[in-house]
Each structure stands twice: as C-alpha cells, then as structure tokens.
Amino acid sequence: MPCLTAARQQRLRMPSSYKSMLETIHMVDQILSEFQLSKEELKEVMRRMQREMNRGLRVETHEEASVKMLPTYVCSTPEGSEVGDFLALDLGGTNFRVMLVVVGEDEERGWKIETKHRMYSIPEDAMTGTAEMLFDYISECISDFLDKHNIKHKKLPLGFTFSFPVRHEDLDKGILLNWTKGFKASGAEGNNVVGLLRDAIKRRGDFEMDIVAMVNDTVATMISCYYEDRSCEVGMIVGTGCNVCYMEEMHSVELVEGEEGRMCVNTEWGAFGGNGELEDFRLEYDRVVDEASLNPGKQLYEKLISGKYMGELVRLVLMKLVNEDLLFNGEASDMLKTRGSFETRFVSQIESDTGDRKQIYNILSSLGVLPSELDCDIVRLACESVSTRAAQICGAGLAGVINVMRERRCLDELKITVGVDGSVYKLHPWFKERFHKVVWDMTPNCDITFIQSEEGSGRGAALISAVASKMAACTIEP
C-alpha cells in the first residue's frame, strides 16, 4: 500500500498502517461472520419450517403451531373465460390502493387485462385508532376513486386484498387474527373484515359494492401470475412483510372438509419461530429489533427477512462496530444512534454502489458521519451480511414449501412457477440472485421458475372476483 501523508490519513481516517487495516478488517469479519449460515444450518431451518407447516395443517396441532397454514377457500384458478369490470382494494401497509381492472378477451392469449389505480396514504390515526375509523377512511377512498372514474353508479364485483393473518370461513368471510406491520386499529381483531368494510360502505351510503372475495396478497400475486404462467402455484411477498401461499392437496388440509383437488393455503410463515424454532439462529441484533417492535415475540421469521426491519438490523450492526472502535473512529453521529434512521432503501443503494463509494459516502454523510474509504467498505460488508442472511433464510423456507408440494404429489420431479412481489425482492440489487440460488440448491428434484409480479396484489384480487362464482362451486364446508 502506498505511503500516505499524515494529512491524507487524517482526512480518510484510515488506520495508519497496512497491518492495523488488516487487523480491523479481520475483526470486522469476525463480527459479521455470525450472519453466515452453512448449508446444513439452512437445511435445519427448512426441516423445522416443514414440521411447523404440517402441525399447522392438522386439527389437533393447529392452535399451537407457529405456522398457521390458513385455508383461503381459493380452490380454482382462472380459465380465461371471465370478462368484465372489477374493482380491487389492496391494504397491506401504510398505503392503500384502489384499482379498476377490466378483463377482456384477446385472440392470441385469451385474456387482455387493463388496470387503472390510485394510491391513498393511510393516516397514523386511522392505523392506530378504531376499526370504524380505519374502514370509514377506506370507504372514503373508494368513493373518491369511483368519482374520479365516473363509475359510482355501477355495482361492481369487488375483490379485497387484505394482507394480514385471517382465518377464512368462506371466500368472502374472514376473521382477523391479529394486526401486523404497525396496524393497531381496535375492534378489528376477532371480527369479520369483509363485514367491517360492508358496514363502512353502508354508513357512507353514496355507492354500493358487491364484495365477493377477500384474499391475502400472496394469493393475489399467485393468481395474477397464473395469468402469465399456468404452472404458477406459489405466491410470495418479500417486502415490508414476508409470506408465502401455495396450492396444497385437499386431503392434507384438515381444517376444512373435502378430499378432492387442491386449495390455496396462506402459510402466514412470518410467525415461524414463535415456539422457539429460531432461537439458535437469532442474534443479539434480532433480539433488540424484536424487543423494540410493536409486536415483541411475534413474526420472528419475518423480522429476519423483511424490509420493515432490514435497515434497523444494519444500523445495530454498525453501532456494534463503532462501539468496538472498528468504524468511524469509534464515534457515531446522533442520527446514527437514533432507532429507524438507517432505512432499508439505504441497504439496496449501498449494495448498488458501482465501486467508487460515492453513493455510500453520500448516504453516510446524510446520517451525520464523514466516512473514510475503509469505513465505506465496512458499511457495505455489513449491509451484505444482513441482506444475504435474509435471502438465504427466506430461500430455505421456500425450499421447504416446494419440497413438501412435490412429496405430497408423489412426483419424481415437480415443475413449478413461483410468482413473487415486494420491494425487497424487486429493488435490492442482489437479494433475488442469492435467494434463487438457495432455493434451487435445496430442491434437487424440482424445476422452479420465478416470475416477478406486476401489480399482483390488486390485479389478483380482481381476477379472483372474476372467478368467484366458479370457486363457489367448490363444495367445501368449514
């Protein structure tokens, strides 16, 4: 390494010798090595996930299982003969979307789908107030959308993507088990979500809707992607939250009667770990994130993966490195010390840096620190460690799901497509690649294709509405 002047060393705040720089890197590597998972460890995560999935499907163990495996009453997929105008609602985070979906016929592909949508931001008081406040606000947004598109006079079939844990009693009836993702609206848990929406529409009184289906965003993504690829039988979200659904054999779904065919099961796998299954994989940073969350002790698997927590995990790692005098000369800014200041989008931006470190430098400067080149490299390593673990542990879970599907169907090889949506999957530069690799490595007897969903949550809900009458013919009693 070329000899640096004292002024240059001070400006870069790099260790004054090559040896001390190597020592720093070695100590950083030791701290970050905790995030590395061996193939055998990932297989153990997969095995434990499969065990909880099976417990969630069985009547006698369902209540105590951490992976609830909730039946969705979606047991048909679109044929392409369904046409018309449909409305879709999508509630799964701080933004709420209303969408008009026009399904028409197309000579070449059978379907032609056109969409128009509008996003509405949900105020904090609606998220954390009462259920009535929240659903009145949703009803107000629907009314505004219908006005803007001059369709208030139409009573359209409506599909509602509701991305929270729900126990379905029918396609259009589901009981909210518990809020996640920062929602706390009182009076909703334990109640029928569709009923709450219908009541709010009735209170408003200026439009009518035929609410025919409520689905999870994973289910909507799967159905939406099925329009692109008929092999799509798995839907996945890796964004603010993380969850998976898939088509399970009816004879394995003990919570509903019926032996023939398949039903889509919403795994709600974000809660995996609730019975201690992940304790030997969780690190000190994971425990701090969990304790400071709105739902301590819950959604532990999701907290290792999703965008809601990834940035904060990196911030805690950086603070550990600062406290060990391995980063920023042992001094952190007040901003970096503040919980939530290191946003998940920074992780994607830092790992997208082309090598000149400008992007990393700018992000760290915005957080009140002036980093050296070595600091920038260490921060990138911290981001890579957290996001790689997220991708790998997520991949182990999906491999478990797909291997179960193949075994249930008694196939030597399963050809399957997975439809995926969510900001982490779409926007992080390397998550997708790392995640795919683990899934492919751990499913040797499966031919897996991944397709990225576009507007999956809303479009899928509308398409499920389009085939609701067909699904109603699936004669299953709760």
Side-chain angles (χ1 to χ4, degrees):
M1 183 177 183
C3 183
L4 300 173
T5 65
R8 170 76 170 153
Q9 285 174 5
Q10 181 61 33
R11 188 162 71 250
L12 291 178
R13 297 204 306 284
M14 289 175 66
S16 57
S17 71
Y18 184 59
K19 183 180 177 184
S20 62
M21 186 172 77
L22 286 179
E23 286 171 353
T24 298
I25 292 170
H26 176 67
M27 291 170 74
V28 168
D29 280 342
Q30 278 190 313
I31 288 171
L32 297 181
S33 67
E34 283 191 297
F35 286 92
Q36 293 171 10
L37 295 167
S38 67
K39 187 165 185 179
E40 194 46 52
E41 286 174 315
L42 292 172
K43 281 183 178 177
E44 182 58 27
V45 171
M46 178 180 80
R47 285 190 288 266
R48 293 181 192 181
M49 175 69 79
Q50 290 174 323
R51 187 167 63 239
E52 285 303 301
M53 286 170 62
N54 286 327
R55 279 159 50 80
L57 286 169
R58 292 200 298 269
V59 169
E60 68 271 19
T61 50
H62 171 77
E63 285 302 319
E64 63 198 44
S66 63
V67 182
K68 289 301 183 191
M69 306 295 285
L70 302 170
T72 65
Y73 290 79
V74 173
C75 48
S76 282
T77 43
E79 292 178 339
S81 57
E82 307 82 13
V83 295
D85 294 358
F86 305 92
L87 206 67
L89 312 181
D90 183 7
L91 178 65
T94 53
N95 290 320
F96 167 68
R97 187 165 55 155
V98 185
M99 180 183 287
L100 175 65
V101 180
V102 179
V103 183
E105 294 182 26
D106 183 275
E107 285 184 15
E108 287 182 18
R109 300 180 60 193
W111 301 290
K112 182 173 65 176
I113 301 169
E114 295 174 0
T115 61
K116 297 173 184 175
H117 73 269
R118 186 176 180 85
M119 201 74 91
Y120 298 88
S121 183
I122 299 182
E124 181 76 19
D125 60 349
M127 289 173 63
T128 58
T130 65
E132 195 168 290
M133 289 167 61
L134 175 61
F135 283 91
D136 280 349
Y137 177 74
I138 289 170
S139 178
E140 181 186 326
C141 295
I142 298 170
S143 177
D144 176 74
F145 182 86
L146 296 174
D147 279 336
K148 283 183 166 53
H149 293 280
N150 298 313
I151 51 174
K152 212 165 206 175
H153 59 286
K154 291 186 176 182
K155 186 178 179 180
L156 297 175
L158 184 147
F160 187 10
T161 300
F162 185 76
S163 305
F164 300 92
V166 164
R167 186 181 72 251
H168 276 267
E169 296 180 355
D170 208 333
L171 189 59
D172 66 345
K173 184 179 182 184
I175 308 302
L176 175 63
L177 297 177
N178 57 275
W179 285 117
T180 57
K181 307 175 197 173
F183 279 73
K184 284 286 182 184
S186 62
E189 293 180 350
N191 282 312
N192 175 20
V193 175
V194 173
L196 293 171
L197 178 58
R198 283 179 177 143
D199 289 347
I201 290 171
K202 195 177 290 184
R203 276 195 300 275
R204 187 169 183 87
D206 64 342
F207 66 91
E208 289 185 72
M209 279 292 133
D210 182 18
I211 306 171
V212 296
M214 180 177 71
V215 294
N216 183 271
D217 54 355
T218 58
V219 183
T221 295
M222 182 188 77
I223 293 294
S224 179
C225 290
Y226 182 86
Y227 262 68
E228 310 299 322
D229 182 337
R230 294 299 187 89
S231 298
C232 187
E233 292 187 87
V234 181
M236 182 171 193
I237 304 290
V238 194
T240 305
C242 182
N243 193 20
V244 160
C245 73
Y246 71 103
M247 297 302 290
E248 175 61 273
E249 305 306 299
M250 270 300 305
H251 60 77
S252 296
V253 187
E254 292 186 8
L255 297 177
V256 291
E257 292 181 12
E259 294 288 318
E260 299 301 316
R262 293 172 186 151
M263 178 182 281
C264 182
V265 169
N266 165 23
T267 66
E268 284 298 334
W269 79 358
F272 177 54
N275 293 330
E277 310 93 326
L278 291 170
E279 286 315 292
D280 43 343
F281 296 101
R282 295 171 70 224
L283 306 177
E284 58 181 298
Y285 320 103
D286 302 309
R287 298 181 198 283
V288 172
V289 163
D290 176 44
E291 286 161 11
S293 70
L294 287 168
N295 54 349
K298 300 183 186 299
Q299 301 297 111
L300 298 180
Y301 185 62
E302 183 172 76
K303 285 170 181 169
L304 300 177
I305 298 166
S306 77
K308 186 169 178 63
Y309 308 100
M310 191 182 288
E312 178 62 7
L313 284 171
V314 170
R315 187 191 72 82
L316 291 169
V317 173
L318 299 184
M319 288 305 302
K320 166 90 168 180
L321 295 171
V322 168
N323 293 335
E324 296 287 335
D325 209 17
L326 298 170
L327 188 64
F328 309 140
N329 265 4
E331 294 178 13
S333 65
D334 288 341
M335 199 178 299
L336 193 60
K337 291 176 185 175
T338 304
R339 184 160 62 92
S341 61
F342 199 96
E343 299 175 35
T344 295
R345 65 187 173 94
F346 295 161
V347 181
S348 294
Q349 290 164 3
I350 284 167
E351 291 193 60
S352 298
D353 192 276
T354 55
D356 60 9
R357 304 182 181 88
K358 280 184 182 175
Q359 197 149 254
I360 304 174
Y361 184 89
N362 289 339
I363 288 168
L364 295 174
S365 299
S366 74
L367 292 168
V369 292
L370 294 176
S372 68
E373 289 181 358
L374 181 58
D375 287 335
C376 290
D377 292 342
I378 290 171
V379 169
R380 183 181 184 126
L381 283 173
C383 290
E384 286 176 357
S385 298
V386 172
S387 66
T388 298
R389 182 191 66 163
Q392 290 180 334
I393 210 160
C394 184
L398 184 62
V401 171
I402 292 172
N403 284 328
V404 162
M405 292 175 77
R406 183 187 66 79
E407 289 161 13
R408 291 261 208 273
R409 298 177 188 189
C410 302
L411 296 172
D412 292 332
E413 182 170 299
L414 173 67
K415 181 176 171 57
I416 195 88
T417 295
V418 180
V420 195
D421 205 344
S423 54
V424 172
Y425 185 84
K426 286 182 170 180
L427 302 179
H428 188 283
W430 306 109
F431 184 95
K432 196 183 301 184
E433 184 179 300
R434 296 166 186 162
F435 165 69
H436 291 173
K437 183 179 187 308
V438 169
V439 179
W440 287 327
D441 283 351
M442 296 178 69
T443 53
N445 299 307
C446 301
D447 177 3
I448 304 166
T449 302
F450 293 91
I451 57 175
Q452 192 166 293
S453 171
E454 300 303 328
E455 298 182 335
S457 291
R459 231 174 51 145
L463 297 174
I464 288 171
S465 301
V467 294
S469 55
K470 186 174 82 170
M471 291 174 184
C474 183
T475 55
I476 300 165
E477 296 298 326

